[in-house]
């Protein structure tokens, strides 16, 4: 992701307005969240168009309920030798007679799915070996731009003017999902002062702030009048319980192993979220929750496109070896240099971005 490419050459007129559009971003929950502003933009440009979304089972849940979408297709990618998706799904996509397919992933599977839909207009990354499967390849970019703006380049590839600046993504929950999330949070941490969620995990060690720092932050939350709850995704429960056990006189509450939409409901009931890099980094802002993002080896200009006016705070150190995009690292200076005091002050700002009375951090 990088510098915006040049405008399409003169004479490359946009295709006819679509009646039906399919947007695909097959994998990664955070990337699906970051693609939702593109869906909204298409819906605003072409209000009569029917827009569908396609992703694998769990990531697709982030797009459910979006008002710009007619339906969300979910599928298990495994168990279909020789096929990029289940045959019945491929038949349904073909029968939908899409005018446009916009593939935001651009791997061999997603490119082939786009081609098999038979859509006359197919947009996707112009990578070697797959470019021929698209009618409108997205040119490569060099300098960092946000992931939201990167997805909006699909409009530029079609000869359409993308928004000047990408809007923030939004996850849409039902009233029932919000109520269930609020009830679950209150069952482990009753209302009575700001409640801060700490998402302490990530599948890659190089993206995890040290658990001892999270423990210290959890203990220090009382100095700003807040209380903490430790959040955990799949495979992160043991780490979350270790952090909770070191958080004070008694173990802090832990919320773990929830289905994704239930997790969203809990986050939506928090007053602030502190999280490592990963999908929670995008779920918090997309649910309207002030989010403190702790970034190590990745590029903040790409992966933290969130406004301080919404209370969002970035903790990221300038360091000679960034971006390395490593999953593991022997030194971890980029995260070790982020102190507990910095994180506490950022949390206080997230809880009160207007700068009113909050206990000193």
């Amino acid at each position: 992701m990088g510098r915006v490419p040049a405008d399409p050459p003169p004479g490359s007129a946009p295709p006819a307005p679509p009646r039906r559009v399919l947007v695909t971003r097959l994998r990664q929950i955070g990337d699906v969240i970051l693609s939702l502003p593109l869906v909204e933009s298409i819906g605003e440009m072409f209000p009569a168009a029917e827009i569908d979304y396609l992703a694998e089972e769990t990531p697709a849940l982030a797009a459910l309920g979006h008002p710009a979408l007619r339906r969300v297709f979910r599928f298990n990618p495994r168990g279909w030798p020789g096929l990029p998706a289940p045959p019945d799904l491929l038949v349904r996509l073909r029968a939908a007679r899409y005018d446009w397919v916009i593939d935001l992933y651009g791997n061999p599977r997603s490119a082939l799915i786009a081609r098999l839909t038979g859509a006359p207009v197919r947009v996707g990354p112009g990578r070697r070996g797959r470019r021929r499967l698209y009618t409108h390849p997205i040119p490569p970019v060099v300098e960092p731009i946000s992931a939201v703006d990167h997805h909006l380049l699909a409009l530029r590839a079609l000869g359409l003017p993308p928004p000047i600046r990408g809007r923030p993504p939004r996850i849409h929950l039902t009233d029932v999902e919000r109520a269930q999330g609020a009830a679950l949070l209150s069952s482990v941490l009753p209302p009575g002062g700001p409640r801060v969620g700490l998402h302490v995990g990530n599948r890659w060690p190089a993206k995890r702030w040290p658990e001892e720092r999270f423990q210290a932050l959890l203990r220090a939350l009382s100095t700003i009048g807040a209380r903490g709850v430790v959040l955990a995704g799949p495979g992160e429960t043991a780490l979350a319980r270790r952090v909770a056990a070191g958080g004070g006189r008694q173990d802090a509450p832990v919320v773990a192993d929830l289905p994704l939409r239930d997790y969203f409901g809990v986050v939506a009931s928090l007053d602030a979220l502190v999280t490592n890099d990963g999908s929670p980094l995008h779920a918090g802002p997309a649910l309207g929750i002030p989010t403190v993002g702790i970034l190590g080896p990745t590029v903040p200009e790409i992966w933290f496109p969130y406004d301080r006016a919404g209370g969002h705070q970035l903790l990221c150190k300038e360091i000679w070896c960034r971006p390395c995009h490593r999953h593991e690292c022997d030194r971890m200076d980029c995260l070790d240099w982020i102190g507990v005091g910095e994180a506490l002050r950022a949390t206080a700002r997230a809880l009160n971005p207007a700068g009113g009375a909050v206990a000193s951090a």
Side-chain angles (χ1 to χ4, degrees):
M1 299 179 185
R3 183 176 55 212
V4 177
D7 289 333
S12 57
R19 296 165 301 168
R20 287 177 289 277
V21 179
L22 177 67
V23 177
T24 76
R25 213 311 173 179
L26 297 189
R27 305 189 69 186
Q28 308 300 339
I29 297 164
D31 288 304
V32 170
I33 295 171
L34 289 162
S35 75
L36 296 177
L38 171 65
V39 169
E40 289 185 23
S41 295
I42 296 171
E44 290 181 358
M45 288 181 175
F46 306 102
E50 297 176 337
I51 308 172
D52 294 343
Y53 202 101
L54 172 68
E56 293 180 6
E57 282 284 353
T58 299
L61 295 173
L64 283 182
H66 196 289
L69 292 171
R70 176 179 62 161
R71 57 187 171 184
V72 175
F73 291 107
R74 304 162 53 192
F75 74 101
N76 185 336
R78 296 174 179 82
W80 311 105
L83 292 173
D88 61 328
L89 174 59
L90 295 175
V91 169
R92 291 182 69 189
L93 296 177
R94 184 85 176 189
R97 301 180 67 85
Y98 293 110
D99 301 297
W100 296 1
V101 173
I102 299 177
D103 173 18
L104 301 173
Y105 195 31
N107 77 340
R109 179 191 298 269
S110 65
L112 184 56
I113 290 173
R115 181 66 183 88
L116 291 174
T117 65
V121 173
R122 302 182 302 279
V123 183
R127 300 186 180 118
R128 181 182 300 178
R130 282 157 254 171
R131 186 184 182 96
R132 61 186 175 83
L133 298 176
Y134 304 115
T135 61
H136 293 69
I138 302 171
V141 291
V142 180
E143 296 172 358
I145 62 172
S146 79
V148 169
D149 290 336
H150 189 270
H151 291 321
L152 291 171
L153 293 181
L155 300 177
R156 188 179 293 270
L158 288 165
L160 297 167
I164 294 174
R165 186 173 186 271
R167 70 195 70 196
R170 285 287 177 262
I171 293 170
H172 292 264
L173 299 179
T174 66
D175 291 342
V176 170
E177 288 173 325
R178 287 186 178 276
Q180 289 175 341
L184 178 53
L185 179 60
S186 294
S187 71
V188 298
L189 189 62
R195 294 178 290 185
V196 177
L198 306 183
H199 194 110
V200 300
N202 186 289
R203 65 182 294 191
W204 304 117
K207 293 187 177 184
R208 292 200 296 261
W209 198 42
E211 60 185 88
E212 297 82 6
R213 306 274 176 94
F214 270 117
Q215 289 175 335
L217 176 60
L218 188 60
R219 292 192 297 269
L221 286 177
S222 63
T223 67
I224 59 171
R227 297 164 299 149
V229 56
V230 184
L231 308 177
E236 299 172 351
T237 302
L239 169 62
R241 295 200 183 283
R242 290 198 303 272
V243 171
R249 295 180 181 177
Q250 60 184 19
D251 290 4
V254 173
V255 176
D257 295 325
L258 293 179
L260 185 62
R261 299 288 294 189
D262 293 349
Y263 174 89
F264 289 161
V266 170
V267 171
S269 298
L270 295 169
D271 296 288
L273 173 68
V274 182
T275 178
N276 291 319
D277 193 2
S279 61
L281 184 74
H282 309 296
L287 290 162
I289 302 305
T291 297
V292 179
I294 302 174
L295 270 67
T298 49
V299 182
E301 293 85 354
I302 297 174
W303 300 113
F304 199 80
Y306 305 117
D307 195 339
R308 282 179 176 263
H312 309 305
Q313 308 290 323
L314 172 65
L315 293 176
C316 183
K317 294 295 185 180
E318 291 293 334
I319 188 170
W320 65 272
C321 53
R322 177 187 290 110
C324 70
H325 303 294
R326 289 184 177 180
H327 294 158
E328 298 183 17
C329 177
D330 292 334
R331 293 192 52 160
M332 297 292 293
D333 288 344
C334 58
L335 288 173
D336 284 342
W337 289 0
I338 298 172
V340 175
E342 292 177 89
L344 184 63
R345 290 189 289 273
T347 305
R349 291 192 297 270
L351 288 169
N352 193 19
V358 175
S360 173

